[in-house]
């Protein structure tokens, strides 16, 4: 059994090491060093040195049952299983919106039940699918609006990092994209006032805060005004969902990143007539869904973002 | 535009347009005074619809994703239309109605109401 020799000897060969890393949900780590993104493989345990990690899930669309994924609740459960299997327990989780597909009470209940299995604090922002109840968002705010302002925006601090949850799916204008609005931007200016420029900032919102594809509305109309307020900070990480695929851009001190959905993929811009759900063979679906792990190390002012698919 | 305007269009050409995903401007009215606007692939079709005042315009969503119909001037707003849901609107006053999707505002359409 030469093949298994490694099991009984100290040290494992490279192939086994890679298998273990894949099994443990290892991904490509992006670090930002002096504005230059660097990727390398990382084991999650490495993340634990100091600081903390948190999880991002997005676009769970509970209630969706069409061809692209007949059971979006089941894939959300699988995503939470992935979170629970992580070797390092995250400090908390963020959900960047489209928790539900149609804002129905049953969908919110099912989502809460599945996400609750992670036994983590969860900080939410709404997607456009979460505010289409009869009262245009009342159902979301009743569940997740406690301690928030306006349509559900807020900030909080974790171990020296300032987190800001923004809402850019409300009061959308004809022909436009996502929208933050004057009231929220005024609140943001106020929230950042007096903060040291060395405070690491993490902003999260549903629709990307940079223009990914204007023809599909994949951007935020007034995001430049928010980014201007963030310009003086040395480390800004912007986490979004909405487009159901990974995308990353680094601009100066700002890293933009979109997470995969836990429900269904959407096409890359320019590859399909519309951004509607992308139907893939059943065996491929979970390779295109996933969760995102973000690590902050104290004193280093750089956050590491690792995306893990639900299946290899 | 009424159905008479496309009398000269051959059926094969209409089918070709459909196959290519182009909006065929006039869908045969379901009733004499009801005209359909289809929502397909994040697009209102026809994007510009001309009808006589008193006509009922019925929006039908054929996408896997919900959409809505919102008047840019703020006079009406449909609820979110799930797959195969519809929203009907009877246009009374001559003029132009510009509308968009409240979830995906890059989706726009216009109704021109003639007296
Ligand atoms: Cu829409």
């Amino acid at each position: 059994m030469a093949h298994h020799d490694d099991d009984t000897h100290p040290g494992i060969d490279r192939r086994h090491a890679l298998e273990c890393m894949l099994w443990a949900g290892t991904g490509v780590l992006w670090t930002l060093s002096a504005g230059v993104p660097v990727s390398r493989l990382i084991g999650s345990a490495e993340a634990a040195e100091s600081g903390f990690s948190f999880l991002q899930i997005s676009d769970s669309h509970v209630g969706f049952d069409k061809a692209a994924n007949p059971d979006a609740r089941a894939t959300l459960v699988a995503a939470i299983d992935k979170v629970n299997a992580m070797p390092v327990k995250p400090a908390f989780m963020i959900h960047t919106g489209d928790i539900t597909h149609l804002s129905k009470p049953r969908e919110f209940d099912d989502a809460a039940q599945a996400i609750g299995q992670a036994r983590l604090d969860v900080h939410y922002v709404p997607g456009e699918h979460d505010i289409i109840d009869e009262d245009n968002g009342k159902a979301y705010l009743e569940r997740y609006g406690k301690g928030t302002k306006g349509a559900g925006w807020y900030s909080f601090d974790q171990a020296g990092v300032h987190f800001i949850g923004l809402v850019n799916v409300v009061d959308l204008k004809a022909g436009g994209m996502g929208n933050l609005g004057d009231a929220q931007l005024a609140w943001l200016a106020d929230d950042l006032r007096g903060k040291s420029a060395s405070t690491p900032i993490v902003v999260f919102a549903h629709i990307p805060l940079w223009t990914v594809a204007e023809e599909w509305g994949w951007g935020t109309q007034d995001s430049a005004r928010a980014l201007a307020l963030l310009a003086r900070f040395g480390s800004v990480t912007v986490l979004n969902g909405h487009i159901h695929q990974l995308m990353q851009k680094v601009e100066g001190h700002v890293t933009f990143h979109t997470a995969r959905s836990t429900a269904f993929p959407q096409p890359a811009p320019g590859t399909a007539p519309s951004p509607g759900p992308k139907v893939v063979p059943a065996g491929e679906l979970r390779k295109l869904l996933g969760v995102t792990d973000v690590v902050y190390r104290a004193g280093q002012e750089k956050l590491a973002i690792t995306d893990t698919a639900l299946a290899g | 535009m009424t159905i008479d305007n496309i009398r000269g269009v051959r059926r094969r050409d209409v089918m070709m347009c459909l196959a290519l995903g182009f909006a065929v401007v006039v869908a045969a009215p379901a009733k004499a005074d009801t005209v359909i606007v289809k929502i397909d692939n994040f697009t209102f079709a026809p994007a510009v619809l001309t009808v006589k005042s008193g006509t009922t315009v019925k929006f039908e969503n054929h996408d896997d994703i919900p959409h809505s119909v919102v008047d840019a001037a703020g006079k009406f707003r449909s609820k979110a239309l799930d797959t195969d849901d519809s929203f009907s609107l009877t246009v009374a006053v001559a003029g132009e109605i510009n509308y968009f999707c409240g979830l995906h505002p890059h989706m726009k359409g216009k109704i021109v109401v003639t007296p």
Side-chain angles (χ1 to χ4, degrees), chain A residues 17-18 20-28 41-44 306-309:
Chain A
L18 282 170
C20 290
M21 287 162 76
L22 287 170
W23 174 82
T26 302
V28 175
L41 283 170
I42 182 190
S44 299
T306 309
D307 298 290
T308 305

Side-chain angles (χ1 to χ4, degrees), chain B residues 42 66-68 101 103-104 107:
Chain B
F42 289 62
H67 298 291
S68 66
C101 169
L103 284 87
H104 314 101
M107 295 171 56

Side-chain angles (χ1 to χ4, degrees), chain A residues 46-228:
Chain A
E46 193 181 325
E49 291 162 7
S50 61
F52 64 94
S53 70
F54 64 97
L55 254 293
Q56 179 190 6
I57 61 170
S58 198
D59 297 273
S60 42
H61 284 263
V62 170
F64 184 85
D65 59 2
K66 304 299 192 301
N69 181 352
D71 191 353
R73 198 191 63 83
T75 47
L76 173 60
V77 167
I80 297 301
D81 287 347
K82 205 85 190 168
V83 171
N84 286 335
M86 293 202 164
V88 178
K89 189 178 160 67
F92 57 85
M93 191 149 69
I94 61 172
H95 191 307
T96 43
D98 285 355
I99 306 157
T100 69
H101 193 58
L102 296 168
S103 305
K104 292 180 175 168
R106 172 71 192 271
E107 296 174 347
F108 277 118
D109 288 346
D110 285 351
Q113 215 251 332
I115 293 167
Q117 297 304 309
R119 291 181 184 80
L120 292 169
D121 282 342
V122 187
H123 302 278
Y124 291 88
V125 285
E128 73 279 8
H129 287 258
D130 299 319
I131 55 166
I132 50 176
D133 54 314
E134 295 286 331
D135 297 306
N136 298 311
K138 195 172 160 210
Y140 172 85
L141 285 177
E142 275 173 359
R143 286 168 192 259
Y144 301 114
K146 196 171 169 233
T148 70
K149 305 276 195 305
W153 57 81
Y154 59 96
S155 66
F156 64 95
D157 293 282
Q158 173 85 24
V161 181
H162 190 60
F163 287 81
I164 303 168
L166 298 179
V167 179
N168 57 0
V169 295
V170 172
D171 195 20
L172 305 182
K173 307 285 189 282
M177 305 189 286
N179 177 52
L180 293 163
D182 291 341
Q184 185 168 209
L185 287 162
W187 169 84
L188 178 63
D190 202 46
D191 182 71
L192 293 171
R193 192 164 295 131
K195 291 248 171 339
S196 155
S198 64
T199 308
I201 307 279
V202 176
V203 178
F204 57 104
H206 180 63
I207 300 176
L209 288 169
W210 89 100
T211 303
V212 174
E214 191 168 7
E215 68 281 14
W216 283 355
W218 287 1
T220 300
Q221 211 65 37
D222 47 5
S223 62
R225 291 171 63 193
L227 295 170

